[in-house]
Amino acid sequence: MNRVEMAHGSGGQAMQQLINQLFMDAFNNPWLAEQEDQARISLSTLTAQGDRLAFSTDSYVIDPLFFPGGDIGKLAVCGTANDVAVSGAIPRFLSCGFILEEGLPMDTLKAVVASMASTAQEAGIAIVTGDTKVVQRGAADKLFINTAGMGAIPADIHWGAGQLTPGDVLLVSGTLGCHGATILNLREGLGLDGELRSDCAVLTPLIQTLRSCQGVKALRDATRGGVNAVVHEFAASSGCGIELTERGLPVKPAVRGLCELLGLDPLNFANEGKLVIGVERQAAEAVLTQLRAHPSGKEAAIIGEVVERKGVRLTGLYGVKRTLDLPHAEPLPRIC
Amino acid sequence: MNRVEMAHGSGGQAMQQLINQLFMDAFNNPWLAEQEDQARISLSTLTAQGDRLAFSTDSYVIDPLFFPGGDIGKLAVCGTANDVAVSGAIPRFLSCGFILEEGLPMDTLKAVVASMASTAQEAGIAIVTGDTKVVQRGAADKLFINTAGMGAIPADIHWGAGQLTPGDVLLVSGTLGCHGATILNLREGLGLDGELRSDCAVLTPLIQTLRSCQGVKALRDATRGGVNAVVHEFAASSGCGIELTERGLPVKPAVRGLCELLGLDPLNFANEGKLVIGVERQAAEAVLTQLRAHPSGKEAAIIGEVVERKGVRLTGLYGVKRTLDLPHAEPLPRIC
């Protein structure tokens, strides 16, 4: 069988074979091996790590499926793991639901599954339960993945956007917009192939270094909508304003070039491996040092602060302050 | 806005509005209201109910979206809740990921969301975290939903297909094939509209009555692939054979009529509210009585037994025993 057929989603023999020969083998772990309708996870393994369960989900519809720096499978593990990890939890367990288009080359599915498996394994995450649906040719574009993830939040960590108060400082863990720029370049054939690479990564190791930091108040990974979407969420949740400094924003030259070419703002571009962190002012330098000491945080920077006056503003390169609106839509659909 | 637009999935203002005006309002609960990237669930609420977390996921791609007895939203709550509940856990928390086709009428989405919300509320389930993606017209057929669910399994319940041994008896909780027959009738325009209705339901209340029953060994809800798929799974997990008796299979006259018309077997038809239960022989009558005492189990029946000799067989109406194969594919795609 070198293409996905309707039978692979039907609950008959063909589906059993796909599950046994592909998924069970790639995601191999004791929970999945039980082959019940649900994974059964000892609650004591979770309570040993924290007092609250962090639970999050995302669907992945990115087009194209493969791109420099990753693919939809890697993204489906990283994206959901990061949504769990920004709570302070270590993501441990993932569910995985595939929606496949009839006719999808089996090699494409295998490559995606292998990428999910290796990304999960590297991050210490087990894919413990799953589901496969197949829809007719034309009823879905190639392949969609949903993952839901969980982990336990340590009892002493209470990060949340609602904790931010005026005077707090905002940092990012690295350069902005790499994922969005990579996909845009690829889809529009802009020819910057060698220089652009998605930042798609599991952020748990970097986040773990922040667990011992005093003064960390809120963490979020900047994905769809970019850093701009996160700071708008921070502003809404905290009831404060946010002011960013354009000079402080770390952006790779290739991304900056592409943005200038197209008149787009890297603040609105999707990332898949970047944190926005809100910290107490007196902790900002220490947190920055801590971030920069980690390979994933080398280009971390202070980008702004939380202020009393509501709204989100950006101080430009020439010192002029302007309101930073959240766009109605992101420049690119199907970015993740 | 009376149709879903690409902007509704983009991480900008349009998506925020959709989340705030539709999802937050319909699924309203304290976990969702926190608006973090992940729901944060107190582990003590789970450990108070059991010692293991049951965790399961399904994607829903059913076509048509609305059918007698339910819709894709109701199905997305019931299906995943049931996959959790057959472990003995009470499903408590659900994630929800939407993949929407550009141009989907907003009223369709609203109706589906309202149905999810009321089904979840009735079952005591909170939809605590979610995600929305929009793909271009033609890149998905209308609307797909993924849900992942969880609940805690009581420490004294260890149901599992691996526990079945020769001599055990199999029961079903009601008539077979109602969901599959309803969708087939609807899609093929067979004109049996008044008599067919999906059995789509959350099975938690019925399953709870079994928690106090002695001798219950394995539970599974018979969905895609029907009761036939479940008994094949039971056979594979236990290393035993299964023998069913055709005379014992409860099938509604309308479903039987449709099957005879088309030469199909109700054993292969999907259900969305029926259990297959494996019990110790001496417990079978007591469990049957218990099931029939509940409104959802009135038509429960003993359908077969676990035997030493491997394979799955069916004794027909005239006493002839034949091998029951698992079909390569189910008769109907996109049944759930």
Side-chain angles (χ1 to χ4, degrees):
Chain A
M1 218 89 72
N2 53 20
R3 290 194 177 267
V4 171
E5 300 175 1
M6 292 307 294
H8 287 119
S10 77
Q13 276 189 33
M15 190 172 87
Q16 272 308 317
Q17 282 163 14
L18 183 70
I19 291 172
N20 292 335
Q21 288 164 17
L22 182 57
F23 301 122
M24 299 297 290
D25 189 48
F27 299 152
N28 178 34
N29 63 65
W31 300 276
L32 196 62
E34 281 193 48
Q35 297 216 45
E36 288 293 338
D37 277 355
Q38 69 299 122
R40 297 169 183 190
I41 297 162
S42 161
L43 276 165
S44 60
T45 64
L46 290 164
T47 51
Q49 302 201 332
D51 64 341
R52 286 148 297 152
L53 194 70
F55 180 38
S56 191
T57 192
D58 261 329
S59 299
Y60 299 87
V61 299
I62 190 165
D63 180 36
L65 299 178
F66 301 88
F67 47 85
D71 58 78
I72 192 171
K74 182 179 178 187
L75 198 60
V77 173
C78 295
T80 298
N82 290 342
D83 281 344
V84 170
V86 292
S87 70
I90 299 178
R92 291 286 311 277
F93 302 103
L94 222 59
S95 69
C96 167
F98 286 99
I99 297 174
L100 309 175
E101 183 185 13
E102 177 190 17
L104 180 78
M106 199 55 93
D107 285 345
T108 302
L109 180 60
K110 283 180 186 164
V112 168
V113 167
S115 174
M116 289 188 82
S118 69
T119 307
Q121 198 188 3
E122 236 173 86
I125 295 169
I127 299 173
V128 295
T129 188
D131 174 59
T132 309
K133 294 289 188 301
V134 182
V135 298
Q136 309 93 318
R137 224 177 270 266
D141 186 11
K142 299 183 283 287
L143 152 62
F144 302 145
I145 304 177
N146 175 284
T147 50
M150 60 172 87
I153 308 172
D156 59 341
I157 293 187
H158 295 274
W159 296 334
Q163 313 233 10
L164 295 171
T165 50
D168 290 341
V169 168
L170 296 184
L171 297 90
V172 289
S173 65
T175 53
L176 306 188
C178 295
H179 178 75
T182 303
I183 302 303
L184 183 59
N185 174 55
L186 204 59
R187 226 185 287 162
E188 304 298 324
L190 300 173
L192 299 164
D193 293 10
E195 304 169 53
L196 292 168
R197 192 178 167 80
S198 168
D199 53 345
C200 180
V202 174
L203 289 167
T204 316
L206 181 63
I207 295 171
Q208 294 318 301
T209 69
L210 297 175
R211 284 165 73 159
S212 55
C213 281
Q214 294 295 311
V216 174
K217 296 176 101 179
L219 238 72
R220 208 160 279 188
D221 63 322
T223 55
R224 258 189 301 183
V227 168
N228 194 7
V230 174
V231 296
H232 273 85
E233 289 165 22
F234 277 5
S237 289
S238 65
C240 302
I242 302 243
E243 294 191 352
L244 301 181
T245 314
E246 193 163 7
R247 194 181 300 274
L249 303 175
V251 181
K252 286 211 162 110
V255 176
R256 193 176 293 284
L258 184 132
C259 283
E260 282 176 4
L261 190 70
L262 300 171
L264 298 170
D265 190 334
L267 273 172
N268 295 328
F269 264 46
N271 311 273
E272 289 295 342
K274 294 293 155 40
L275 296 170
V276 183
I277 308 161
V279 304
E280 290 173 10
R281 182 168 295 269
Q282 66 270 30
E285 283 300 329
V287 171
L288 186 63
T289 305
Q290 184 80 32
L291 286 168
R292 287 185 173 163
H294 193 278
S296 316
K298 275 186 301 194
E299 292 164 300
I302 290 175
I303 60 164
E305 59 182 340
V306 180
V307 297
E308 198 113 14
R309 187 181 149 218
K310 299 208 178 201
V312 177
R313 288 168 297 277
L314 178 75
T315 304
L317 295 177
Y318 304 105
V320 180
K321 203 178 277 187
R322 63 174 176 93
T323 298
L324 194 62
D325 287 322
L326 185 61
H328 181 70
E330 218 208 17
L332 262 192
R334 296 181 65 186
I335 193 77
C336 59
Chain B
M1 218 89 68
N2 52 20
R3 291 193 177 268
V4 171
E5 298 174 3
M6 292 306 294
H8 288 117
S10 77
Q13 276 191 32
M15 190 173 87
Q16 272 309 319
Q17 281 164 13
L18 183 71
I19 291 171
N20 292 335
Q21 288 166 17
L22 182 56
F23 301 121
M24 299 297 290
D25 189 49
F27 299 152
N28 177 34
N29 62 65
W31 300 276
L32 196 62
E34 279 193 51
Q35 297 215 49
E36 287 293 338
D37 277 355
Q38 69 300 122
R40 299 171 182 191
I41 297 161
S42 160
L43 276 164
S44 61
T45 64
L46 291 163
T47 52
Q49 302 201 330
D51 64 341
R52 286 150 295 153
L53 193 70
F55 180 39
S56 191
T57 191
D58 262 329
S59 299
Y60 299 86
V61 300
I62 191 166
D63 180 36
L65 299 178
F66 301 88
F67 47 85
D71 58 78
I72 191 172
K74 182 179 180 187
L75 198 61
V77 174
C78 295
T80 299
N82 290 341
D83 281 343
V84 170
V86 292
S87 70
I90 298 179
R92 290 287 309 278
F93 302 103
L94 223 58
S95 69
C96 167
F98 286 98
I99 297 174
L100 309 176
E101 183 186 14
E102 178 190 15
L104 181 78
M106 200 54 94
D107 285 345
T108 303
L109 180 60
K110 282 182 186 164
V112 167
V113 168
S115 174
M116 290 188 81
S118 68
T119 307
Q121 197 185 5
E122 236 173 83
I125 295 169
I127 299 172
V128 295
T129 188
D131 175 58
T132 309
K133 294 289 188 300
V134 181
V135 298
Q136 308 92 319
R137 225 174 271 265
D141 185 13
K142 299 183 283 284
L143 150 62
F144 303 144
I145 304 176
N146 175 284
T147 50
M150 60 172 86
I153 309 172
D156 59 342
I157 293 187
H158 294 274
W159 296 334
Q163 312 234 9
L164 295 170
T165 51
D168 290 341
V169 169
L170 296 184
L171 297 89
V172 289
S173 65
T175 54
L176 306 188
C178 295
H179 178 74
T182 302
I183 303 303
L184 182 59
N185 175 55
L186 204 60
R187 227 183 288 161
E188 304 299 325
L190 300 173
L192 299 162
D193 293 9
E195 302 168 53
L196 291 168
R197 193 179 166 81
S198 167
D199 53 347
C200 179
V202 174
L203 289 166
T204 315
L206 181 62
I207 295 171
Q208 292 319 300
T209 70
L210 296 174
R211 285 166 72 159
S212 54
C213 282
Q214 293 296 310
V216 173
K217 296 175 101 178
L219 238 72
R220 211 159 277 190
D221 63 322
T223 55
R224 260 188 299 181
V227 167
N228 194 9
V230 174
V231 297
H232 273 85
E233 289 165 21
F234 277 5
S237 288
S238 65
C240 303
I242 303 248
E243 295 191 349
L244 302 180
T245 314
E246 193 163 6
R247 195 182 298 277
L249 303 176
V251 182
K252 288 214 161 108
V255 176
R256 193 177 293 287
L258 183 133
C259 283
E260 283 177 2
L261 191 71
L262 300 171
L264 298 170
D265 190 334
L267 274 171
N268 295 327
F269 264 47
N271 311 273
E272 288 295 343
K274 295 295 154 44
L275 297 170
V276 183
I277 308 160
V279 303
E280 291 173 10
R281 181 167 297 267
Q282 65 270 29
E285 284 298 331
V287 171
L288 186 63
T289 305
Q290 185 80 33
L291 285 169
R292 287 184 173 165
H294 193 276
S296 315
K298 275 187 302 198
E299 290 163 300
I302 291 175
I303 60 164
E305 59 183 340
V306 180
V307 297
E308 199 111 14
R309 189 181 148 218
K310 299 206 178 203
V312 177
R313 289 168 296 279
L314 177 75
T315 304
L317 295 177
Y318 304 105
V320 180
K321 203 179 277 188
R322 63 174 176 90
T323 297
L324 194 63
D325 287 322
L326 186 62
H328 180 70
E330 219 210 16
L332 262 193
R334 297 181 63 186
I335 194 76
C336 59

